[in-house]
Amino acid sequence: MSYISFDFFFFVAATLLVYYIAPLKARPYVLLAASLFFYAASGLENLAALVLLIAVTYLCTMLLEKLKKGRAALLTVYILLTVGGLLFVKFINYILGLSARFLNGPALTLEVLVPLGLSFFTLQAIGYAVDVYRGDVQAERNPLKLALFLSFFPLVVQGPISRMRQLSPTLFHGNRFSYKNLTHGAQLMLWGLFLKLVIANRAATFADPVFTNYSAYSGLTVVLAVLLYTLQLYADFSGCVCICRGVSQMLGVELMDNFDTPYFAASIRDFWRRWHISLSSWLRDYVYIPLGGSKKGRLRKYTNLLLTFFVSGIWHGVGVHYIAWGLYHGVLQIIGDVTAPMKKRLRERMRLREESILYRLFRQLITFVLVAYGWLLFRADGLIAAIRMTGSIFRDFVSLGQLQTVFANKAEFCLLLLCTLLLLLTSLLRRRIQLRERIAGLRIWIRWPLYLALFFAVVLFGGLGEAFSDSIFLYMQF
């Protein structure tokens, strides 16, 4: 069941109705039943895989809390099983294909079940088990509550990757009906639909043809396609997170925000504090710091950074270009750290204040360009395609005829530009004020016309036609 489908909207409405009718103590179990039903809609075999992970995680964490010896060995076995299963289902056919190509033999494929959202709920389960091992949280003795934590339907497919101590206060206790939560959640959900249907999908119609047939396009066209994909990915992923958080808020459950205006970042390190925050913090707490972090010398620190971003690349997808994208960001962070003293001396000689607006804008521009090029590595159909697209930027750069062909639908492109400006404006305002609260606090004759304008924008420009239910989110493939 897609988050963008009429079935999902009816499902959310029914869940809200039953949830708030049920007694307070029964409400968490209403959420569990709804979550299992939602996940079962993707296939009973998918549900069986999720239930198996829940059962293994429950047994492991209960033992971790009771055992005095062998705890580290038990946790290691658990991580090897869960990570091994994740890597197997994601990479086995890719490895078989590479082997067949290397040996000049017939291509072999296995029919492997890849449960929906596997990458997300596996990391959530591992993080919970590690927290129990460290003593940061107590093992949940009620298996139904643990099942709810790992299967909660707004986040099971696409995150954000949540922590037990952050989610349990509002997830495991029956929440009373709140008009504020209902309207604020609906507001956020509507904004998410706008980002996905009006901006992301529209940007994809211009970017996808160039990435699919990149050899036919000049460098300038490739650059514009990369910029459009940069917009598409952010609007797509943040739109989904807004929908997830909006539905959760209507149920009184608070999910973390996964984005903090990442394209305003002033360094690559700053970017990763703002982009996919739940994954970035997970990698920091469960990969980078356990490897030693920055406490064991500069060489070890840089090695740990590269290993962490290598893991990030593998997690995101199958292919060498994902690994290259991860290592690219790791190398950029290392370069930024190594050159920090030099940049400081240069800034002092030029008498530039670090907090000056012009200097920050310069850093933001450089960071954005570096991030956008990283998305070329990420989106290209393989590393060879990424290298060739990079080469096209430096030769045959301008071809006005191509631009007229790619952007032939000027009305659609102008609409995309207007909506992008609206997104930029709201992002700027969010950095200065609590925008959602300000809008909710406006007089009703101002507030509701804004809501209706956004609703009709989604209806009129969001493709609510035959292909509506087929609209999927980019991060669902990871």
Side-chain angles (χ1 to χ4, degrees):
M1 190 188 307
S2 170
Y3 288 149
I4 297 188
S5 67
F6 292 114
D7 288 343
F8 179 71
F9 300 151
F10 288 133
F11 168 76
V12 169
T15 301
L16 285 167
L17 181 62
V18 176
Y19 181 78
Y20 285 117
I21 288 176
L24 278 176
K25 291 184 178 180
R27 290 178 184 179
Y29 303 105
V30 171
L31 287 185
L32 175 60
S35 298
L36 295 178
F37 175 83
F38 171 83
Y39 200 75
S42 67
L44 292 178
E45 64 280 6
N46 290 332
L47 179 62
L50 176 60
V51 170
L52 177 62
L53 176 69
I54 292 169
V56 171
T57 303
Y58 178 77
L59 291 173
C60 175
T61 52
M62 292 299 292
L63 286 172
L64 282 173
E65 200 163 66
K66 292 181 178 180
L67 291 177
K68 294 184 178 179
K69 294 182 179 180
R71 297 175 73 247
L74 175 61
L75 180 66
T76 301
V77 171
Y78 172 80
I79 292 174
L80 288 175
L81 284 174
T82 51
V83 173
L86 174 62
L87 293 178
F88 177 81
V89 300
K90 288 184 70 172
F91 285 90
I92 183 61
N93 283 320
Y94 179 74
I95 293 172
L96 288 174
L98 286 180
S99 301
R101 194 180 311 169
F102 179 75
L103 298 172
N104 292 322
L108 298 175
T109 57
L110 294 177
E111 290 189 12
V112 180
L113 171 67
V114 184
L116 190 66
L118 176 65
S119 295
F120 287 91
F121 62 71
T122 297
L123 293 196
Q124 187 157 310
I126 292 172
Y128 164 67
V130 173
D131 285 346
V132 171
Y133 173 79
R134 293 172 175 171
D136 294 336
V137 297
Q138 290 185 332
E140 178 52 61
R141 286 166 172 73
N142 186 335
L144 296 181
K145 287 186 176 180
L146 178 62
L148 175 57
F149 169 69
L150 292 177
S151 68
F152 185 45
F153 73 89
L155 57 76
V156 68
V157 172
Q158 200 167 324
I161 303 163
S162 300
R163 313 287 179 94
M164 177 65 83
R165 58 182 175 271
Q166 175 262 325
L167 199 57
S168 59
T170 53
L171 184 63
F172 293 161
H173 307 286
N175 299 309
R176 297 184 182 277
F177 176 80
S178 165
Y179 177 77
K180 178 182 177 181
N181 282 342
L182 187 68
T183 54
H184 274 53
Q187 174 201 84
L188 192 56
M189 188 177 179
L190 185 59
W191 178 245
L193 290 171
F194 176 80
L195 291 178
K196 168 60 178 172
L197 294 174
V198 182
I199 297 182
N201 285 1
R202 187 162 273 99
T205 62
F206 296 105
D208 285 350
V210 179
F211 278 96
T212 303
N213 190 27
Y214 61 87
S215 59
Y217 294 98
S218 65
L220 178 59
T221 308
V222 168
V223 168
L224 291 174
V226 171
L227 293 175
L228 286 166
Y229 179 71
T230 299
L231 170 65
Q232 176 197 351
L233 185 62
Y234 173 68
D236 188 286
F237 194 17
S238 62
C240 182
V241 170
C242 285
I243 293 171
C244 297
R245 292 180 62 226
V247 172
S248 297
Q249 188 168 11
M250 286 191 284
L251 292 163
V253 179
E254 292 296 327
L255 297 183
M256 68 179 297
D257 194 353
N258 226 10
F259 296 94
D260 181 16
T261 55
Y263 292 152
F264 290 151
S267 68
I268 295 298
R269 186 178 181 183
D270 187 28
F271 171 78
W272 281 103
R273 292 194 194 101
R274 300 161 174 264
W275 174 272
H276 204 340
I277 298 170
S278 64
L279 176 63
S280 301
S281 60
W282 193 96
L283 291 170
R284 178 197 65 211
D285 294 342
Y286 303 112
V287 179
Y288 180 69
I289 292 177
L291 285 172
S294 58
K295 295 181 178 180
K296 297 187 178 182
R298 180 165 288 190
L299 180 61
R300 181 69 176 273
K301 171 186 175 180
Y302 295 156
T303 302
N304 293 341
L305 268 174
L306 290 177
L307 287 173
T308 301
F309 278 99
F310 175 80
V311 171
S312 177
I314 288 179
W315 181 86
H316 274 90
V318 179
V320 178
H321 61 299
Y322 288 110
I323 296 174
W325 169 79
L327 293 177
Y328 167 79
H329 274 274
V331 169
L332 288 179
Q333 286 216 33
I334 292 171
I335 292 173
D337 192 71
V338 169
T339 59
M342 181 185 67
K343 289 184 289 188
K344 181 180 179 181
R345 288 194 299 269
L346 182 61
R347 190 172 61 247
E348 289 172 350
R349 288 181 182 179
M350 297 179 66
R351 296 182 179 179
L352 287 172
R353 291 182 298 108
E354 189 172 7
E355 64 275 12
S356 68
I357 295 176
L358 287 178
Y359 181 64
R360 182 168 182 82
L361 287 174
F362 173 75
R363 294 177 64 201
Q364 288 174 328
L365 177 61
I366 296 299
T367 302
F368 178 79
V369 170
L370 293 172
V371 168
Y373 179 74
W375 292 138
L376 185 153
L377 297 173
F378 188 87
R379 170 63 177 84
D381 295 329
L383 185 59
I384 299 299
I387 293 172
R388 289 175 177 171
M389 291 180 75
T390 302
S392 70
I393 296 174
F394 298 99
R395 65 175 186 275
D396 187 27
F397 187 73
V398 179
S399 177
L400 297 179
Q402 284 185 4
L403 292 178
Q404 292 176 358
T405 301
V406 174
F407 302 103
N409 195 331
K410 295 181 177 59
E412 287 289 293
F413 188 66
C414 288
L415 176 61
L416 176 61
L417 288 178
L418 287 173
C419 293
T420 303
L421 289 174
L422 176 61
L423 173 59
L424 177 62
L425 177 62
T426 57
S427 299
L428 289 169
L429 289 174
R430 277 185 57 202
R431 293 174 61 81
R432 290 166 173 78
I433 61 173
Q434 296 292 325
L435 185 59
R436 291 177 62 202
E437 287 72 12
R438 284 289 185 91
I439 293 175
L442 294 173
R443 295 181 182 276
I444 192 170
W445 56 272
I446 300 176
R447 182 173 71 250
W448 275 98
L450 287 176
Y451 292 160
L452 290 174
L454 190 60
F455 173 78
F456 283 115
V458 172
V459 172
L460 294 174
F461 306 122
L464 297 185
E466 295 179 359
F468 171 63
S469 294
D470 296 326
S471 182
I472 63 172
F473 290 94
L474 292 175
Y475 260 71
M476 283 187 178
Q477 64 185 300
F478 307 134

